[in-house]
Amino acid sequence: MSGPIALVTGGSSGIGLSFARQLAQQGYDLVLVARRRERLEQIAQQLIREHQIDCRVEARDLSDPDSIKDLVDALDQDGVEVEVLINNAGYGLAGAYLSQSWQRHDQFIQVTLSAVFELTHRLLPGMKQRGKGRIIQVSSIAGFLPGTAGHTLYGAVKAALNLFTECLSLECKGS
């Protein structure tokens, strides 16, 4: 990878794919992270063909607590320096809070909050050291409103993500 590098979680569909396309159009080399390797490879080939960028595919299940460390270790080993981080991976759980097992809730929290916190923590020092970088946390208006029935944990997680992002912005001001 020779140009500036952007890492996009949840880069195989939806908002993450839109970010990947926009970043590729702007000349960023990409690291695309999602669970479905085949889908990521199809997207990578398309973006490489259309925008003459480099694109690295990292098929990772972010519900695995070791996935972020393993991902960043692999990037560090290959000298990949991420300049733009798009924390986008996520999903919702349908149904009332007690209709889901704790394991499902725990996986949801791991993907939508813990992975965001850890990936930010692991990549931010390099950005600060290099004197450049950007982080976008994809959240939701649900983080600013009381939850609706069937979305109890989603709103709570997004509220935490919003507050984390605001505090991190203040902490990094001027850097």
Side-chain angles (χ1 to χ4, degrees):
M1 299 185 133
S2 57
I5 299 168
L7 186 151
V8 182
T9 66
S12 64
S13 64
I15 295 170
L17 180 54
S18 293
F19 268 112
R21 286 184 174 136
Q22 289 294 315
L23 289 161
Q25 188 175 33
Q26 294 172 28
Y28 282 88
D29 291 337
L30 299 173
V31 177
L32 299 178
V33 180
R35 290 176 295 158
R36 299 175 292 174
R37 176 173 298 282
E38 185 177 307
R39 174 78 175 134
L40 285 173
E41 288 175 352
Q42 290 171 349
I43 292 164
Q45 291 307 311
Q46 179 185 15
L47 294 173
I48 290 166
R49 193 173 48 253
E50 292 175 2
H51 302 287
Q52 294 74 49
I53 57 143
D54 289 325
C55 191
R56 178 176 176 146
V57 166
E58 288 288 341
R60 306 283 173 159
D61 182 352
L62 299 183
S63 70
D64 175 355
D66 295 326
S67 63
I68 298 298
K69 180 184 182 311
D70 294 344
L71 169 63
V72 174
D73 286 350
L75 297 176
D76 287 346
Q77 184 176 356
D78 293 341
V80 175
E81 296 180 342
V82 175
E83 183 176 317
V84 176
L85 170 60
I86 310 292
N87 278 313
N88 168 71
Y91 59 96
L93 290 176
Y97 182 68
L98 293 178
S99 71
Q100 299 288 337
S101 69
W102 176 250
Q103 181 181 6
R104 296 273 320 256
H105 287 308
D106 192 37
Q107 290 171 333
F108 173 76
I109 292 167
Q110 175 61 38
V111 170
T112 57
L113 201 57
S114 298
V116 172
F117 290 171
E118 184 176 357
L119 194 52
T120 301
H121 189 268
R122 290 184 180 277
L123 294 181
L124 182 58
M127 291 176 184
K128 290 186 81 142
Q129 182 180 17
R130 291 186 299 275
K132 62 181 176 177
R134 290 180 280 164
I135 300 172
I136 296 175
Q137 319 286 29
V138 177
S139 188
S140 169
I141 190 87
F144 297 105
L145 304 169
T148 58
H151 299 283
T152 303
L153 195 55
Y154 186 84
V157 165
K158 294 303 182 178
L161 181 58
N162 293 345
L163 188 56
F164 167 70
T165 303
E166 290 174 15
C167 292
L168 187 64
S169 177
L170 291 171
E171 187 174 313
C172 292
K173 191 171 187 159
S175 67

